[in-house]
Amino acid sequence: MTPAEIDELRRRLHEAEETLKAIRQGDVDALVVGASDDTDVYVIGGDPDICRSFLDMMEIGAAALDNTGRVLYANAVLADLVGRPLPELEGMRLSELTGDPALESEILEGRLRRRRIPLGVAGAERQVMLSCGKLRLGTVSGHAVTFTDFTEQLAAERSRQNEKAALAIIACANEPVFVCDTLGLITHLSGAAAVLAGSGAIGRPLSEVMDLSVGDGTGLLTLGEIVAQATEGIPVQGIEAVAAEGTPFYLISAAPLQVPGEAVSGCVITMVDLSQRKAAERHQQLLLRELDHRVKNTLALVMSISRRTMHSEETLEGYQKAFTARIQALAATHNLLADKSWSDISIRDVLVRELAPYNEGFSQRILVEVPDVEIEPRSAIALGLVIHELATNATKYGSLSTPEGQVRVRGLPGADEPADVVCLEWLERGGPPVSEPTRSGFGQTVIRHAFAYAEGGGAEVSFEPDGVRCRVSVPTGV
């Protein structure tokens, strides 16, 4: 044997001698023999009062059973656990005490030493660890049963597990999440919150690490006030706030941190970034204002077209036909712009769309040779109206009034023009002889003044014998 093993045997021998000495002197009332999960209790002398005193001194629930499973003695701790007066327990069968006849049978047959069971009144049950061992009270044999209440420990462990899970959820949250105690100091935060608040946020007030302005319009509601309300048990939801530098925007909500049945221990603050939504709202407002502006301009233009057409036509039928054609020309350009979300549009696209009705059924009647340059919506609408008036005039009196006639629309070099102006030429050939009209109608007014709003914009029409020639200077606005 090793020296350590010899020392252990000497220690145990000394303990045995001391125990025997205490028994002889009457200092020991009972012995518990065995391992922690397999024990036997021996009462010295068989005195029932000694057994009762022994049970009463125990800090856990305990009972002595006879060999039939009836309670001989029980202590006050067990009475409190089951919610019954102590005198009622003596004489009661263990199956009545626990509500489990099978449990009693296993103990009496020596097949059970330890088990976790619920104990007590329904709805207020406690979780206990039942341990049992043999009991000898003089000549009487039975069983000693203890009930260790671990309800609080179990609840504490569940609380720790729940807190662990909650912290894991907070850490994984995509949005900034802050947890504050009752003093408003940060105790936990999500990864997204740590990025915003920095590494030194723990232990500091939220209002110190996040410089936000709450948009309540009064200045009374602050971030600190939101936290204070939540820690007092008042939830706060959907408060908009903005960073000191004007962006980003956040939607703040705060809820009390409270375990059911307990006092509020802090609060949880969540922050949802509204920057993209705010940008979308601003863009939407801009579009609505732009739409309102365009609708007003379009209505004013339609009213002008209606009034001028009425003055230039002699019959109601003529007015209806001319006005409808001009509105259709306007609608064609509007449709093109709508397809482009009212952004810049190609000159060629405008020309092709406006001239399509006049080019159907004839090959190469109208040739379009223009640069692929984009112009702003205002210039596109004006160009559409100008081309419509030129095409209408050519159909009535010019080259498109005969099968042999042709129109060529081409780009011209604009050496003398501003950089933001594109020059086009409308040239008619193969039609009847042309002479300058005796009076200026609505069409000529549109052609000459459609681009007058921009410097360098405008149109010049010359009535040459071989056909009309029109030079158009289109402001790109780009």
Side-chain angles (χ1 to χ4, degrees):
M1 298 179 63
T2 65
E5 291 174 336
I6 295 173
D7 289 341
E8 178 65 18
L9 287 175
R10 286 174 178 171
R11 186 186 65 77
R12 291 185 179 182
L13 179 59
H14 177 71
E15 288 181 354
E17 289 174 347
E18 291 296 320
T19 301
L20 291 174
K21 180 180 177 181
I23 293 174
R24 287 195 299 270
Q25 293 175 351
D27 295 334
V28 176
D29 296 324
L31 289 176
V32 179
V33 181
S36 59
D37 59 349
D38 188 7
T39 59
D40 292 333
V41 179
Y42 295 90
V43 179
I44 308 300
D47 188 347
D49 291 333
I50 295 175
C51 180
R52 187 184 299 276
S53 299
F54 179 69
L55 296 181
D56 287 340
M57 288 187 295
M58 299 180 71
E59 295 181 354
I60 60 176
L65 309 179
D66 63 16
N67 56 9
T68 66
R70 292 189 179 277
V71 177
L72 297 175
Y73 313 112
N75 65 3
V77 178
L78 179 58
D80 290 340
L81 285 175
V82 298
R84 299 192 181 197
L86 182 58
E88 289 186 9
L89 301 186
E90 297 183 0
M92 181 182 293
R93 295 187 67 90
L94 181 63
S95 58
E96 297 178 60
L97 190 66
T98 62
D100 189 350
L103 179 70
E104 178 186 288
S105 299
E106 291 184 56
I107 292 175
L108 295 180
E109 295 171 6
R111 295 186 290 111
L112 178 64
R113 287 293 186 178
R114 192 177 182 87
R115 179 178 295 173
R116 170 179 156 181
I117 64 169
L119 188 67
V121 182
E125 292 178 333
R126 312 287 292 180
Q127 294 295 320
V128 301
M129 184 62 70
L130 179 147
S131 300
C132 58
K134 296 177 182 178
L135 170 67
R136 295 192 183 279
L137 186 58
T139 59
V140 178
S141 63
H143 300 271
V145 184
T146 59
F147 303 84
T148 305
D149 185 3
F150 65 97
T151 305
E152 281 75 18
Q153 294 91 325
L154 184 62
E157 178 60 26
R158 287 175 178 169
S159 178
R160 284 192 295 271
Q161 293 297 327
N162 290 340
E163 182 179 5
K164 185 177 179 180
L167 292 178
I169 293 173
I170 291 174
C172 297
N174 292 327
E175 301 294 344
V177 179
F178 297 87
V179 180
C180 296
D181 60 17
T182 53
L183 299 177
L185 304 180
I186 299 173
T187 59
H188 303 86
L189 69 168
S190 67
V195 172
L196 291 177
S199 58
I202 300 296
R204 297 173 59 192
L206 181 60
S207 56
E208 286 188 6
V209 300
M210 294 297 296
D211 189 7
L212 297 178
S213 175
V214 179
D216 68 330
T218 65
L220 298 177
L221 187 60
T222 63
L223 190 58
E225 178 65 20
I226 292 174
V227 174
Q229 288 188 30
T231 54
E232 292 175 4
I234 305 172
V236 181
Q237 295 182 343
I239 302 298
E240 289 192 10
V242 62
E245 57 271 20
T247 186
F249 290 86
Y250 293 102
L251 186 68
I252 299 177
S253 297
L257 183 61
Q258 185 175 22
V259 177
E262 298 183 11
V264 175
S265 59
C267 65
V268 179
I269 301 96
T270 58
M271 301 170 59
V272 179
D273 192 339
L274 297 180
S275 300
Q276 291 185 352
R277 194 182 84 177
K278 285 293 184 180
E281 289 177 354
R282 290 194 297 269
H283 182 64
Q284 184 180 40
Q285 290 297 323
L286 179 63
L287 291 179
L288 289 175
R289 289 194 295 269
E290 181 67 18
L291 177 62
D292 180 66
H293 176 71
R294 287 172 181 167
V295 168
K296 290 179 179 178
N297 286 349
T298 300
L299 291 176
L301 179 58
V302 169
M303 291 178 65
S304 176
I305 292 174
S306 174
R307 186 178 65 83
R308 289 178 177 273
T309 303
M310 181 177 62
H311 287 301
S312 62
E313 297 294 332
E314 298 179 354
T315 65
L316 180 60
E317 182 181 358
Y319 165 78
Q320 181 181 9
K321 184 177 180 180
F323 179 72
T324 300
R326 285 163 179 159
I327 295 302
Q328 287 175 343
L330 180 64
T333 306
H334 271 245
N335 289 337
L336 274 178
L337 291 169
D339 293 340
K340 290 282 189 176
S341 299
W342 281 83
S343 60
D344 296 339
I345 190 171
S346 168
I347 284 182
R348 181 176 180 81
D349 290 343
V350 176
L351 294 174
V352 170
R353 178 65 64 87
E354 292 292 347
L355 295 174
Y358 305 95
N359 225 8
E360 293 179 354
F362 297 94
S363 174
Q364 302 296 317
R365 290 291 308 276
I366 303 178
L367 301 179
V368 177
E369 302 170 344
V370 298
D372 191 13
V373 178
E374 292 193 340
I375 56 177
E376 65 179 352
R378 183 177 183 180
S379 296
I381 293 173
L383 179 61
L385 291 175
V386 168
I387 295 300
H388 168 74
E389 295 301 328
L390 288 171
T392 300
N393 184 73
T395 302
K396 289 182 177 179
Y397 314 108
S399 62
L400 296 183
S401 65
T402 62
E404 297 80 13
Q406 288 188 338
V407 175
R408 182 183 182 189
V409 185
R410 64 189 182 99
L412 295 178
D416 300 330
E417 302 291 346
D420 58 349
V421 173
V422 177
C423 293
L424 305 177
E425 182 185 59
W426 172 282
L427 182 62
E428 299 181 21
R429 289 294 182 264
V434 174
S435 61
E436 188 168 352
T438 57
R439 66 184 183 90
S440 178
F442 174 64
Q444 293 187 49
T445 303
V446 171
I447 294 170
R448 290 193 173 96
H449 299 287
F451 299 105
Y453 65 87
E455 183 179 357
E460 297 177 357
V461 181
S462 59
F463 297 90
E464 301 175 358
D466 294 337
V468 172
R469 183 191 301 268
C470 180
R471 177 187 173 95
V472 183
S473 299
V474 183
T476 63
V478 180

